[in-house]
Amino acid sequence: VSQSRYYYRTWQEEYRYIKADGSVVYIYDRGYVIRNQDGKGVRMIGSMLDVSERRKAELELRANQQFITSIVEASPDIVYIYDIVKGGIVYCNDGFEKLLNYGKEEIMAMGENLFSNLVEAEDFDRHRLEVVPKYFELKDREIVSNTYRIYDKQGIVHWVNSRELVFSRNEDGRAYQIFGVVSDITTTKLANIELQEKKDRLELAEEIAGLGSWEFMPGDLHSGKWSAQLFHLLGLPVMEYSPSIVTGK
């Protein structure tokens, strides 16, 4: 048949098909409609392919992606992917908005200035000099942690802890994207600071008064706690553990 007298139209579709045994399969159907010069269909040629396994894999992948997305978006933590070569966030959840009141668009717009804009200057310098170089030395699944202060949109400071690992590497195996999770540890950090300040004040008061303190649990005279000043009063070097009240060792 000369193609000068006929022309072809193709069509394709994917759908579910009920087999004779009642089972359902996914079919990829592709066909050709041969028409004459008047546009009238004169013949159809086609083929069908069972794509059930591919379709099943696609549905499972989509379900897994939705599950992971749900977990990430529900997290109170900041979850992000940062491009350490070009600089800037390439993905983040709503954590920035929940913790710092910055929307995703605002965070993305900061680009490579994100950390310098939000992180306390002293902590930013430490991050730039000590943490960033580690990115290029990390092995797969190796995690680098960092604690720093970050400011929200109202200028309130938050203590946070970040845990980061390599997300993507280039063809040479060099890291270029980092996956990170940032958790707000403000309450714990401030409580530890207050506890340390109380400890420092107690040690200063003992030093001024020329006394030392000790603490032992009833029934256990071999382990306890001595203050630093008590070690000094007894002419002993300050140790991590306290000598036994019975043996003195």
Side-chain angles (χ1 to χ4, degrees):
V1 179
S2 173
Q3 289 193 17
S4 63
R5 297 178 54 192
Y6 295 89
Y7 64 95
Y8 301 82
R9 293 283 180 87
T10 63
W11 60 273
Q12 57 187 18
E13 188 175 1
E14 190 172 306
Y15 52 84
R16 287 171 292 178
Y17 182 85
I18 302 177
K19 298 172 63 175
D21 61 3
S23 62
V24 178
V25 294
Y26 281 89
I27 294 295
Y28 173 70
D29 194 354
R30 184 178 183 183
Y32 299 85
V33 179
I34 303 176
R35 301 178 183 275
N36 60 23
Q37 291 179 337
D38 297 327
K40 182 179 179 180
V42 296
R43 191 178 181 185
M44 294 179 63
I45 301 175
S47 63
M48 293 182 179
L49 177 66
D50 185 348
V51 294
S52 300
E53 291 301 319
R54 188 204 71 191
R55 186 66 173 172
K56 179 181 178 182
E58 290 175 349
L59 294 174
E60 289 179 352
L61 178 61
R62 184 182 305 171
N64 289 337
Q65 290 175 334
Q66 291 175 343
F67 177 70
I68 294 173
T69 299
S70 298
I71 293 176
V72 170
E73 293 301 331
S75 173
D77 295 332
I78 297 173
V79 181
Y80 60 91
I81 298 174
Y82 187 84
D83 191 316
I84 58 178
V85 176
K86 297 179 180 179
I89 295 288
V90 297
Y91 166 81
C92 66
N93 67 346
D94 293 330
F96 279 105
E97 187 167 5
K98 295 174 182 177
L99 178 60
L100 306 178
N101 295 317
Y102 283 102
K104 292 182 180 179
E105 295 77 10
E106 294 176 290
I107 292 298
M108 297 286 190
M110 292 185 191
E112 63 182 356
N113 297 318
L114 174 67
F115 285 95
S116 60
N117 287 348
L118 302 182
V119 177
E120 171 67 35
E122 178 184 358
D123 297 340
F124 171 71
D125 288 339
R126 178 170 50 81
H127 175 269
R128 177 174 56 85
L129 297 174
E130 299 179 11
V131 178
V132 173
K134 293 180 180 179
Y135 292 155
F136 302 100
E137 301 174 356
L138 288 176
K139 299 177 181 178
D140 290 344
R141 299 186 180 182
E142 184 179 1
I143 295 175
V144 59
S145 298
N146 187 29
T147 298
Y148 54 90
R149 290 161 290 180
I150 191 169
Y151 290 92
D152 64 23
K153 202 169 186 178
Q154 287 68 45
I156 299 174
V157 66
H158 299 261
W159 282 94
V160 298
N161 176 259
S162 67
R163 292 170 56 82
E164 300 171 308
L165 50 76
V166 175
F167 182 75
S168 297
R169 299 181 185 273
N170 59 25
E171 294 180 353
D172 298 329
R174 187 175 176 83
Y176 75 91
Q177 286 185 340
I178 293 295
F179 175 85
V181 177
V182 171
S183 303
D184 184 4
I185 60 169
T186 303
T187 300
T188 301
K189 187 68 175 181
L190 293 181
N192 289 338
I193 291 175
E194 182 180 1
L195 182 62
Q196 184 61 47
E197 289 176 346
K198 290 181 178 179
K199 180 180 178 181
D200 293 341
R201 288 197 295 269
L202 176 60
E203 290 182 354
L204 179 60
E206 288 187 350
E207 183 178 354
I208 294 174
L211 57 83
S213 61
W214 53 266
E215 178 183 350
F216 285 91
M217 296 297 293
D220 183 7
L221 301 181
H222 296 281
S223 62
K225 183 177 181 181
W226 288 17
S227 68
Q229 185 61 21
L230 183 56
F231 281 101
H232 295 321
L233 289 176
L234 299 178
L236 298 173
V238 178
M239 298 180 290
E240 293 184 2
Y241 67 93
S242 301
S244 168
I245 197 172
V246 178
T247 64
K249 297 181 181 180

